Structures are given as structure tokens and as C-alpha cells.
Amino acid sequence: DGLRAVLNQASPESTFAGLSWNKLITSDCEATLDFSDAVFTPVKEGWGQSLELAFLFDDATESNIQCEISMDGKGNPRLQSLMRRKSVATGDATYHNIITKPGMKTAGQLRLVRQRDQIYCLFAEAGSDKFEVFSQYPAGNARIKEVSVFSKRSDTQGTIAVLLKSLTVKASTAVP
């Protein structure tokens, strides 16, 4: 039925597990993660936990645009997107343009779409092919170097269990 992804009994620091598809994508593309049976146990400390679909770019700041289902550190469920960039001078990551919609999504599809210099974050309810755009980010002309799916959490108390039903990547140009 898919890949059962479970994150529990890990170290006290932020913990993550997932998979990556490492191909340079130089054109318009889309990546869709179909998931179901998502269950989050709230964290006791830290920022929370998430299941994310992300594009990592090969630009100088290693831009990362992701859409996710998540639960913040107070146990509030949400659909969220964000852009993360690293400082060229210090290497520290900063988060930009965080878009949040309240409510838990236990099943559905997350999608990232690149059209020219823009990235669109979309969500469709389980069983529906009607995707809603809930955020948009500038991507410039940097190539996508990785498509990833990660489960993350900020402490040992929070847990994530989800069935990853499929990950589909469509691109007209991918370089090995």
C-alpha cells in the first residue's frame, strides 16, 4: 500500500528521516506526495513536527522551498509552506515567507510546482484531484538539485506515523 514512515524513540535533538531524489532539474516540473493515515503525537519542547515535501536548489544560499503538514510546538495542526535560505557569510539558515493554514490533514496530496521562476505549493484532499494553491515563492533560475520527503520533530516525545502512498516527480529535463 506504500511506505510506512514512523519517527519515534530518537535523540533529544531535532530528528529527521526521509528520502531524496537527487537529479538536477533544469525545467518546469512538479512533485506530488500522496499520503494517508498521518498521526502526530505533540512534542513537549521545541518547534513541533512535520511531514514535508521539498525542493532544494543549487544556488549560493541553498534555497529550500517546502510544503508540509505539521504540528507546532503547542500542538496546533496546520498546513504550512516556507522558504529556507543559508547565509553565504555564516552558513546559518533563516526562514522566510512562512504561510500557515490551521487544521490537521491526515490524508491528501502535497504538491510543489515550478513554472518558470516561481514555485507553487498546493494541497488536495484525499480522493480529490482538485489542488488548491496556498502559497507561491520566487525561485529565480536556479536548478533544483534535490526533491525530498522528510518527517521531522524537535524532541523525543513527539512522534510521526504516516503512510507514504506515492511520490511522483514530472520534469521535462533532468540531468543525472
Side-chain angles (χ1 to χ4, degrees), residues 101-163:
K101 293 181 71 173
M104 178 49 92
K105 306 298 182 182
T106 60
Q109 297 178 77
L110 294 169
R111 179 175 283 172
L112 289 170
V113 175
R114 180 183 197 148
Q115 289 183 341
R116 293 172 292 287
D117 64 346
Q118 296 293 308
I119 302 294
Y120 299 90
C121 299
L122 301 93
F123 179 78
E125 296 288 344
S128 175
D129 61 356
K130 294 181 181 176
F131 282 85
E132 172 192 350
V133 175
F134 66 92
S135 61
Q136 175 180 347
Y137 297 94
N141 60 1
R143 299 176 299 179
I144 296 169
K145 72 177 186 179
E146 179 180 287
V147 178
S148 62
V149 175
F150 282 104
S151 295
K152 296 181 176 180
R153 67 170 191 196
S154 61
D155 72 4
T156 57
Q157 181 172 317
T159 64
I160 301 168
V162 62
L163 180 64

